[in-house]
Amino acid sequence: MLRRRVQDILIPQFDVDANPIASTKRMYPYLLDIQSDTLSALATRIVVPLGRASFLEGEKLTRLTPTATLDSEEMLILIPQIASFPASVFKTPIGTLEHTRDEMVAALNFAIFGV
């Protein structure tokens, strides 16, 4: 059985990390971890990209793509682009968007249940 140290698997929900994919980093510079902390032992994390609002004006949908400000730049939290990434790519978070939790939960509910 593979054993990992607790600090190696704890990745707090709503942490923001740099996008590790060079080809998409310009438009989507960050990934937001939305996975529950209770699932930290999984090898993957559920994330949504944060896109530069200045590049994505046509993508802004009030209930589906909440906004957040990082480094003085408005970002869209792109709930429709939910994905999973290997947990190993998340090394050093640059911040958290915990304060946008209610907006993200509402957007997820809208995307999945239409409410």
Side-chain angles (χ1 to χ4, degrees):
M1 182 161 111
L2 178 64
R3 293 200 165 176
R4 300 189 318 190
R5 296 177 305 162
V6 171
Q7 62 266 37
D8 289 341
I9 60 174
L10 291 180
I11 303 169
Q13 186 179 38
F14 305 121
D15 270 5
V16 176
D17 284 88
N19 180 352
I21 302 173
S23 63
T24 62
K25 198 174 221 171
R26 185 167 177 248
M27 190 173 293
Y28 310 105
Y30 307 109
L31 297 176
L32 172 65
D33 184 331
I34 62 169
Q35 184 169 306
S36 170
D37 297 339
T38 60
L39 301 174
S40 290
L42 296 177
T44 57
R45 299 297 295 173
I46 301 169
V47 299
V48 293
L50 300 180
R52 289 191 159 98
S54 59
F55 290 175
L56 300 165
E57 281 305 313
E59 300 296 317
K60 190 172 186 176
L61 304 167
T62 306
R63 290 185 62 195
L64 200 54
T65 57
T67 60
T69 302
L70 285 172
D71 294 331
S72 302
E73 185 175 11
E74 185 180 29
M75 298 284 168
L76 297 182
I77 302 170
L78 297 166
I79 298 296
Q81 295 185 26
I82 192 169
S84 71
F85 271 74
S88 61
V89 303
F90 302 107
K91 304 288 183 195
T92 307
I94 60 126
T96 182
L97 289 182
E98 170 70 33
H99 64 281
T100 64
R101 181 187 188 285
D102 292 342
E103 292 90 346
M104 284 186 281
V105 169
L108 282 163
N109 281 335
F110 185 60
I112 296 167
F113 303 111
V115 294

